[in-house]
Amino acid sequence: MRHRLNNSVATASTCRLNRLKKISLVCLSLFSPALLACGPDFPLQLTLDRQNSLSFLPQTAFSQRIAPLAAPLPWRYQAEPAALEYLWDEVNNRYLSQTRAYENSELSEADFALVNALRDAKDLSDAKRLAAQIKDALPQAIVLYSLGAVAFEAKDYASAKEYFTQVINLPDEERESRSLWALYSLSRIELIQSHQSQDNEHFTRANGYLTRLQDEVVKGRIDPLRLSLASLGEQAYILLHQGQTPIEVTQAEYEPPKLDVSLNPEVINRVITLYATQSVEGDSGGYDSLLMLSRSLMAKDVNELKVLLKKEKVQQLLIAYWQSSSSEFAYGGQLSDFGLKVAQILKVFPTDAAKLDKGDTLAAIYYQLGNYASAERMLIHAKPSGLTWWLSAKLHLQRGDQAGAAQAYAQAAKHFPTQDNLSTETLDATATQQRAIHRDLEQAALCRIRAEQGVLSLERGEYLDALTHLLESGDEYWQDIAYVAERVLTTDELKAFVDAKVPLQAYDNPEDSDWYDNIEPINNRLRYLLGRRLLREGTVIEAKGYFSHPSQQVIVAEYAKALTRATHTSGIERASAYWRAAQIAREHGMEILGFELAPDYAVYQGVFDLTDWYSQQPLAEKERLRVDASNAIPNKRFHYRYHAAQLADKASNDVPHNSQAYAALLCQATGWVLYREPSLAKQYYQKYVANGPFVPWAQHFGLQCETPDFASALQREKANHIAKWQALYHQLKKPVAIGLVAMSGLAAGVIALGWRRKHRLSKEVNNAL
């Protein structure tokens, strides 16, 4: 049984390639902080280390800087390239070569089985015997090529050469499927044999085979394995080694080019073009070879390089290499050996001829070497460009001139195209790809410049300008945007800014997007941040309009309703409202109340806490006061859990202390903070112990809690009122009875006294008469 690699492997490879492309293009391959275990890559936050962020000039990707060194291909491909994956042979537990992988897709299952049998013959004799049996079942070109492949594998190069030659000598219509493979294999044989021979004819014949291969592709021969691209690298190898001392053979019979050879200026110019074309057209061998060549040039004596540096492509190659390696120029404030060598080469670099074309890039290299005087000198002669103004801004900052830097940044931004003025010129596929890459690089540079403008404005105390520039810088600098919006601006300032300049944007959210790969428009994310801030500060009615997702709007509406009801009611109803708000705050707190950055890090869904990851940035007094005023309350991770616990505690104040609801509310509050703030959890527990009823689950208080039963609490409240009056009755019953008796006796005495007085008065009247 045989099968292709699992689709997940291919998908993973595609993802890795996309990630590499993103790293290469986005913001000029900016470095990022080290990765945390099991986490995504955390984007660079410029506001955390502003001095270094503003002085740092990002290095560029070598693969993109070598693109201008390429030449147009003299042919057009007639079909899509074959998949570059190897084929897993499950029966023999091995990977098969790329040619056999292609044959698997090209041939029927029966024919592929015959080719496999031929290729797997134990020796050439066995293969010839099998070939005689199946010669009528397969095209002759395939049989002959397979025999040649068997001989090649057995290092029987004479026999292999014979079979491959038979393939290319077949009539055109018969050899079509294998002629390119045979020509390429013949060139390999000649190059292998050149390792042990002083005869330069091997190189000549190899180059002839490669030229013939390219000619056939020019005429329209289908080249699914892109052997014509590989042939460019082989021709460059021949140019480098023809006429040189043979390379010593090691374990690998055919090694990549060794470049410890004398370099001729004309030859090296052609070699650079061939490798660059190979790389730009999609063969990574060209990239690898140019990287090796660059290192070889760097290893040369400076005096030997003087002659080579007269060639423009040598200059361009070294500049591209230096630009992509600038992070290696210095360590710990001191130039490294590499940086010292670059500085040494620059002393003999033909800058007079390069002033107009390369002044800005050379200035950038001088800047990265710390030679600011030379950088300024080169800028004087360079054509105005985005890079020259960008460097000018950084040089102003080196002198402490923030105002001059701000003006230079504004000029730099003007030199980069916007989406509105991009050319709609029709180009071929390769040119279109290169144009797209170039635009990506320019866009990335503009993003970085806008971000640095924002950081500079922040340093100058121009906070609204800072947010404006950062918002223009895009997603790569979202955390800087969030910092200014969430911690530096006041809520009123942020709301006014968003209402005036940040409209809601419609977008489609793909179902398969990862949680950490937020593709929501940056406008919506800023509005969402404002909505959470408003909700945290109690502006619940206005907050809802800044949540773009319907599901969030439902949650926010319910939370606002609960808090509003709690404000306008009392007793059990208020407790129920506070409890509902507490539930929402605990279950959806990160979603509707979380800080985008510290202490909650909603930007990572709270999965990562980077509070101690970065050193604290010293802030100007004005900014520090604003940041302190916007701290979370409490300023602790998952701060909304404490808020939820407070709401549950508030609810407990409005239910009978002898109710199940009282115990349940305090139990929930205890559990929500138990592991994060044990002392606060203890306070809630002690409050329960001092006032609450016995419940069976109290021994696991905070760990196993029941849901508050407000209906029972209402009944308990009524019962408590009745019990209160009954207790008052029993307390007053005896004193009232005694009082009634006393009052009755007093009344009787008063009546008797009045009767006696009346009787005496009557008697006195009678006596008087």
Side-chain angles (χ1 to χ4, degrees):
M1 176 66 72
R2 58 183 183 274
H3 59 82
R4 295 185 179 277
L5 289 177
N6 188 285
N7 286 337
S8 62
V9 177
T11 301
S13 299
T14 301
C15 291
R16 284 193 292 271
L17 289 173
N18 288 339
R19 174 62 68 182
L20 286 173
K21 179 184 177 184
K22 182 178 180 182
I23 292 172
S24 297
L25 299 181
V26 173
C27 294
L28 299 179
S29 299
L30 298 178
F31 68 90
S32 61
L35 301 185
L36 297 185
C38 301
D41 52 333
F42 298 101
L44 178 69
Q45 189 174 339
L46 302 186
T47 49
L48 290 174
D49 190 356
R50 300 174 194 179
Q51 182 176 354
N52 284 337
S53 296
L54 292 174
S55 63
F56 177 73
L57 188 66
Q59 68 182 31
T60 58
F62 183 66
S63 60
Q64 306 309 326
R65 287 302 171 189
I66 61 178
L69 300 173
L73 277 182
W75 60 81
R76 296 178 65 88
Y77 289 111
Q78 303 301 315
E80 291 298 317
L84 297 181
E85 62 183 35
Y86 284 86
L87 181 68
W88 178 251
D89 179 2
E90 194 170 90
V91 175
N92 297 297
N93 196 34
R94 62 179 178 176
Y95 282 108
L96 299 179
S97 67
Q98 185 184 348
T99 54
R100 294 176 75 172
Y102 177 72
E103 286 174 331
N104 180 56
S105 62
E106 176 195 33
L107 303 175
S108 67
E109 187 170 351
D111 287 349
F112 184 64
L114 293 176
V115 171
N116 270 343
L118 192 56
R119 292 281 198 98
D120 293 336
K122 61 182 180 180
D123 54 34
L124 184 57
S125 297
D126 188 41
K128 291 166 69 175
R129 180 183 57 79
L130 289 172
Q133 296 175 5
I134 64 174
K135 65 179 182 179
D136 295 330
L138 292 171
Q140 189 176 6
I142 293 178
V143 174
L144 290 173
Y145 178 81
S146 299
L147 288 171
V150 172
F152 186 93
E153 191 71 22
K155 297 182 176 57
D156 183 354
Y157 299 124
S159 297
K161 190 172 182 179
E162 179 183 344
Y163 285 117
F164 293 142
T165 302
Q166 289 183 51
V167 172
I168 64 174
N169 287 334
L170 288 171
D172 186 74
E173 64 278 2
E174 294 182 27
R175 63 183 170 86
E176 180 176 1
S177 64
R178 293 296 180 269
S179 62
L180 299 186
W181 297 15
L183 286 167
Y184 190 78
S185 298
L186 285 167
S187 71
R188 289 188 63 192
I189 292 172
E190 295 294 344
L191 291 176
I192 291 170
Q193 292 176 338
S194 72
H195 293 173
Q196 300 95 4
S197 172
Q198 295 281 354
D199 185 3
N200 278 311
E201 283 302 310
H202 288 299
F203 289 112
T204 302
R205 286 193 291 270
N207 189 62
Y209 290 131
L210 295 171
T211 302
R212 182 173 171 182
L213 184 156
Q214 294 169 3
D215 289 342
E216 292 206 10
V217 178
V218 169
K219 294 175 182 177
R221 183 80 72 198
I222 295 176
D223 183 17
L225 299 184
R226 296 302 191 251
L227 296 177
S228 52
L229 272 188
S231 71
L232 299 178
E234 304 289 7
Q235 287 179 321
Y237 175 87
I238 292 169
L239 285 171
L240 285 171
H241 294 86
Q242 193 168 15
Q244 304 294 331
T245 302
I247 297 174
E248 181 182 352
V249 178
T250 60
Q251 292 180 355
E253 63 179 17
Y254 182 54
E255 298 179 330
K258 288 188 175 180
L259 302 177
D260 53 347
V261 293
S262 298
L263 300 178
N264 176 282
E266 293 298 332
V267 167
I268 199 65
N269 232 31
R270 293 169 60 194
V271 165
I272 291 172
T273 301
L274 286 168
Y275 281 144
T277 305
Q278 183 185 13
S279 175
V280 167
E281 295 295 336
D283 189 328
S284 62
Y287 170 91
D288 296 335
S289 297
L290 278 180
L291 199 56
M292 292 174 62
L293 179 57
S294 301
R295 292 169 181 168
S296 178
L297 291 171
M298 287 297 296
K300 294 292 180 183
D301 182 82
V302 173
N303 291 324
E304 187 179 354
L305 276 176
K306 281 184 179 180
V307 178
L308 298 176
L309 285 172
K310 293 179 180 179
K311 293 298 180 181
E312 184 177 354
K313 290 201 173 181
V314 177
Q315 298 172 23
Q316 292 177 337
L317 178 64
L318 282 177
I319 289 174
Y321 182 61
W322 294 339
Q323 286 182 305
S324 66
S325 309
S326 59
S327 61
E328 302 174 25
F329 283 177
Y331 299 103
Q334 298 293 324
L335 285 181
S336 63
D337 291 342
F338 179 71
L340 289 170
K341 185 61 179 287
V342 174
Q344 188 182 16
I345 295 173
L346 282 172
K347 291 179 181 178
V348 300
F349 206 88
T351 54
D352 290 340
K355 283 179 182 177
L356 295 179
D357 295 331
K358 308 177 190 65
D360 53 355
T361 54
L362 285 174
I365 291 166
Y366 276 121
Y367 176 85
Q368 289 163 316
L369 288 169
N371 189 342
Y372 304 129
S374 295
E376 290 201 46
R377 187 178 69 253
M378 292 304 302
L379 285 181
I380 293 173
H381 300 287
K383 289 181 178 179
S385 66
L387 180 56
T388 59
W389 282 109
W390 193 3
L391 282 168
S392 179
K394 293 181 180 296
L395 290 169
H396 276 296
L397 289 172
Q398 288 291 332
R399 298 191 294 268
D401 181 6
Q402 290 188 342
Q407 293 176 1
Y409 273 123
Q411 289 295 325
K414 292 178 182 179
H415 281 77
F416 290 92
T418 63
Q419 292 297 325
D420 296 333
N421 58 22
L422 291 176
S423 171
T424 57
E425 177 185 358
T426 302
L427 303 168
D428 61 33
T430 300
T432 300
Q433 180 187 36
Q434 293 304 315
R435 178 69 60 84
I437 291 172
H438 181 68
R439 287 174 180 171
D440 283 343
L441 288 169
E442 288 190 325
Q443 189 64 31
L446 178 59
C447 288
R448 174 76 188 211
I449 288 169
R450 291 296 192 195
E452 290 185 11
Q453 279 184 285
V455 173
L456 181 57
S457 295
L458 187 61
E459 283 289 278
R460 301 177 71 191
E462 301 166 348
Y463 303 131
L464 289 172
D465 284 345
L467 183 57
T468 299
H469 292 312
L470 286 168
L471 196 60
E472 291 172 342
S473 69
D475 286 347
E476 187 73 10
Y477 304 97
W478 166 247
Q479 294 196 37
D480 293 299
I481 297 168
Y483 167 74
V484 175
E486 190 168 60
R487 305 304 307 278
V488 180
L489 294 184
T490 66
T491 304
D492 289 341
E493 288 172 340
L494 177 60
K495 185 176 182 302
F497 181 93
V498 169
D499 289 344
K501 300 182 179 181
V502 189
L504 187 68
Q505 291 181 262
Y507 80 106
D508 293 327
N509 187 19
E511 296 180 359
D512 59 347
S513 63
D514 295 315
W515 65 265
Y516 55 82
D517 187 22
N518 196 333
I519 63 169
E520 187 172 8
I522 201 166
N523 277 20
N524 297 12
R525 293 162 69 183
L526 185 57
R527 294 176 65 88
Y528 179 31
L529 181 150
L530 172 59
R532 282 174 284 155
R533 186 170 181 178
L534 289 170
L535 211 57
R536 288 195 299 267
E537 296 176 7
T539 314
V540 295
I541 303 300
E542 289 184 71
K544 180 182 176 182
Y546 297 97
F547 289 82
S548 60
H549 291 285
S551 59
Q552 293 172 350
Q553 291 174 346
V554 171
I555 296 169
V556 171
E558 189 173 356
Y559 181 72
K561 180 180 178 182
L563 288 180
T564 302
R565 186 160 60 94
T567 304
H568 294 88
T569 56
S570 61
I572 301 295
E573 187 176 356
R574 179 165 61 187
S576 174
Y578 273 135
W579 165 243
R580 183 60 191 136
Q583 281 183 300
I584 296 172
R586 178 60 187 88
E587 295 171 9
H588 302 283
M590 182 66 77
E591 188 178 355
I592 67 171
L593 297 169
F595 276 74
E596 186 74 356
L597 302 178
D600 300 323
Y601 284 98
V603 65
Y604 301 123
Q605 302 293 306
V607 175
F608 302 99
D609 180 10
L610 305 186
T611 305
D612 300 324
W613 185 252
Y614 304 105
S615 58
Q616 183 64 37
Q617 167 77 29
L619 302 176
E621 180 69 11
K622 181 182 175 182
E623 184 179 343
R624 185 186 61 78
L625 290 174
R626 284 171 168 255
V627 169
D628 290 345
S630 61
N631 274 333
I633 302 175
N635 193 15
K636 297 177 180 179
R637 192 181 186 202
F638 304 134
H639 87 284
Y640 52 84
R641 296 186 184 181
Y642 300 88
H643 178 59
Q646 290 172 357
L647 289 172
D649 181 45
K650 277 187 178 182
S652 72
N653 295 330
D654 285 306
V655 297
H657 289 187
N658 60 344
S659 67
Q660 177 269 0
Y662 183 82
L665 287 166
L666 289 175
C667 181
Q668 297 282 5
T670 300
W672 289 342
V673 297
L674 182 60
Y675 293 110
R676 306 205 67 82
E677 193 74 21
S679 60
L680 180 59
K682 185 176 181 180
Q683 292 179 27
Y684 292 137
Y685 175 67
Q686 288 176 337
K687 180 179 179 180
Y688 158 73
V689 171
N691 305 296
F694 168 79
V695 288
W697 35 269
Q699 59 181 332
H700 300 297
F701 202 81
L703 298 176
Q704 296 179 0
C705 305
E706 291 185 354
T707 301
D709 187 346
F710 291 106
S712 296
L714 183 61
Q715 295 302 317
R716 174 58 63 186
E717 186 176 57
K718 292 178 181 178
N720 285 350
H721 282 300
I722 295 173
K724 179 179 179 180
W725 283 109
Q726 287 179 340
L728 183 62
Y729 167 75
H730 288 295
Q731 183 179 0
L732 298 177
K733 181 170 67 174
K734 186 174 181 179
V736 168
I738 294 174
L740 289 173
V741 171
M743 290 177 65
S744 299
L746 179 62
V750 170
I751 293 172
L753 180 62
W755 183 84
R756 290 178 61 188
R757 186 177 180 183
K758 180 178 179 182
H759 179 73
R760 187 171 59 251
L761 181 59
S762 177
K763 186 176 180 181
E764 290 177 354
V765 170
N766 290 332
N767 290 336
L769 294 174

